[in-house]
Amino acid sequence: RTWLPQQVDAMKANQFNIDYAVAAKYESKFRHDVMGHVHAFGEVAPIAMPVIHLGATSCYVGDNTDLIQMRESLVLIRRKLVQLLSIMRAFALEHKDLPTLGYTHYQPAQLTTVGKRCTLWMQDLLLDLEEVDRQIETMPMRGVKGTTGTQASFLDLFDGDHDKVKALDKRIVELMGFKKSIPVSGQTYTRKLDTTALNCLAGVGSSAYKMAGDVRLLANLKEVEEPFAKNQIGSSAMAYKRNPMRSERVCSLSRYLLTLPQAAANTHANQWFERTLDDSAIRRITLPEAFLATDVILTLLMNIADGMHVWPKVVHSHVMAELPFMATENILMACVKAGGDRQELHEKIRVHSMAAGARVKGEGVPNDLIDRIRADPAFSTVHGSLETIMDPSNFVGHAPQQDVDSMRDEVDPILIK
């Protein structure tokens, strides 16, 4: 073994001297990607050829590399998530006081604000960020495990010294920047790690789909629109169209992303004993495509959020079309405080509301409920204060402060890091 240091020196000197054409030639010959590179490496470091890959298996190379790439890719995903949250923060605070109709069952409900609705999207993304951080922090490396996970070849190389085997595993993990290796493995690390990583990315996809879906619905209402370029064409036939194509693209890619964890789970479930090779081809598709899709989705969301346009007058008109019905409780309370009979006033409001609603639906005219109340002497005690009662800002509750608190307590600490 006196020549071993020379072999190590030769490998160190040529670790970046990779001839991919030669590797491809050997891979074609051997039908094995790792052995193609082993032989290509041997050509540039011939003295080391007798010991290259000694004790290792292909998964020592491939699996450890996959985990390195996934963790580094998650760091890139994290960076874009933070950038997106920063952009959305500005939008949320800008519109924190703008009342808008809330919707439940996609039917008009109590008011919220445009900014508060944005915080709902952001909250989902914050939860995604937490999971991305957890993955980055806890993802283990495969380490040095041998052909079936027993480390037998390395134990043989170290003449039965178990402590040296463990020390080698620990050292490689440290050099690769991981905190730990997976405690036990078969030939591969458990494919459960792929499933958890893709579930993490699918979480981003579901959040993105929800946000983009809302933007598409708001575009139909003409309240909020994604960016639309000066010369952009919405439809080849209908020249007036302003289709929300960015948001549609987000939903399309997210829908695909949401399918990939199932593929990863099926792959994990179908691994026989210490390993079977039917995991290989599908992982070469699902893992990179999951990360690429997530990256594109976040890029699109940043573009949408950065140029999202609100039409306040349209928002206000929709609020005022529904607010008269919502304001009746406030009107009733004010009248009773002024000495009115709650039961009589309630019945009058009911009658006026039914009549106003019938005209809105049957004749397509604006809601005239407040005009009816203003003309009814029974409500004379509030006639002078109807404008104040009908101020939409009186109906948004704690929404503006929730917006501010969320940015201060949840978002800003992340942006400061």
Side-chain angles (χ1 to χ4, degrees), residues 3 20 31 57 76 106 122 126 142 149 186 221 233 245-246 266 281 293 302 304 314 334 377 389 401:
W3 32 260
Y20 290 99
R31 305 287 295 176
T57 183
L76 297 178
Y106 200 41
M122 296 176 72
L126 285 166
R142 176 185 179 273
L221 296 171
I233 295 175
M245 60 89 174
R246 292 172 176 84
N266 281 329
M302 284 191 283
I304 292 168
V314 177
I389 293 174
Q401 191 59 47

Side-chain angles (χ1 to χ4, degrees), residues 151-166:
Q151 300 173 303
S153 56
F154 295 100
L155 187 63
D156 184 51
L157 286 172
F158 288 124
D159 298 322
D161 191 327
H162 291 269
D163 289 337
K164 286 186 177 180
V165 174
K166 289 188 284 187

Side-chain angles (χ1 to χ4, degrees), residues 62-241:
D63 274 27
N64 282 322
T65 299
D66 288 342
L67 289 165
I68 292 169
Q69 288 180 321
M70 281 199 289
R71 194 181 65 163
E72 291 183 353
S73 296
L74 284 167
V75 171
L76 297 178
I77 295 299
R78 184 189 193 281
R79 186 179 303 163
K80 286 201 171 183
L81 271 171
V82 172
Q83 290 173 334
L84 174 59
L85 287 167
S86 177
I87 294 169
M88 294 176 70
R89 175 188 183 278
F91 180 90
L93 291 176
E94 180 183 355
H95 301 289
K96 66 181 176 65
D97 296 314
L98 179 58
T100 188
L101 276 178
Y103 288 92
T104 58
H105 313 275
Y106 200 41
Q107 301 299 312
Q110 291 295 318
L111 302 191
T112 182
T113 70
V114 172
K116 167 62 192 304
R117 179 174 284 143
C118 182
T119 68
L120 298 180
W121 304 332
M122 296 176 72
Q123 179 174 251
D124 288 346
L125 294 168
L126 285 166
L127 292 171
D128 296 327
L129 182 61
E130 287 182 9
E131 181 59 20
V132 168
D133 283 340
R134 190 190 71 80
Q135 285 285 322
I136 293 170
E137 182 69 18
T138 64
M139 183 176 286
M141 197 176 184
R142 176 185 179 273
V144 179
K145 295 296 191 289
T147 54
T148 58
T150 66
Q151 300 173 303
S153 56
F154 295 100
L155 187 63
D156 184 51
L157 286 172
F158 288 124
D159 298 322
D161 191 327
H162 291 269
D163 289 337
K164 286 186 177 180
V165 174
K166 289 188 284 187
L168 175 64
D169 189 63
K170 183 174 183 291
R171 181 59 176 153
I172 287 176
V173 168
E174 289 173 348
L175 288 171
M176 291 297 127
F178 284 74
K179 292 185 176 181
K180 63 180 180 180
S181 66
I182 197 163
V184 294
S185 75
Q187 186 174 92
T188 69
Y189 65 77
T190 172
R191 296 312 186 210
K192 193 82 170 181
L193 294 182
D194 294 346
T195 305
T196 58
L198 265 59
N199 277 330
C200 172
L201 299 180
V204 177
S206 65
S207 299
Y209 201 121
K210 194 270 190 279
M211 173 182 169
D214 283 356
V215 171
R216 291 166 67 187
L217 293 171
L218 290 167
N220 172 260
L221 296 171
K222 297 180 173 58
E223 292 189 1
V224 178
E225 292 179 336
E226 66 174 38
F228 197 87
K230 178 181 178 181
N231 296 314
Q232 182 175 331
I233 295 175
S235 168
S236 62
M238 296 168 280
Y240 58 87
K241 293 290 288 290

Side-chain angles (χ1 to χ4, degrees), residues 355-369:
R359 288 201 70 207
V360 169
K361 297 174 190 176
E363 302 176 32
V365 297
N367 189 332
D368 66 352
L369 175 58

Side-chain angles (χ1 to χ4, degrees), residues 19-48:
D19 191 326
Y20 290 99
V22 171
K25 181 184 71 174
Y26 278 119
E27 181 178 349
S28 179
K29 177 181 178 181
F30 298 131
R31 305 287 295 176
H32 197 291
D33 52 358
V34 172
M35 287 307 296
H37 278 276
V38 166
H39 282 261
F41 197 15
E43 286 199 7
V44 297
I47 190 175

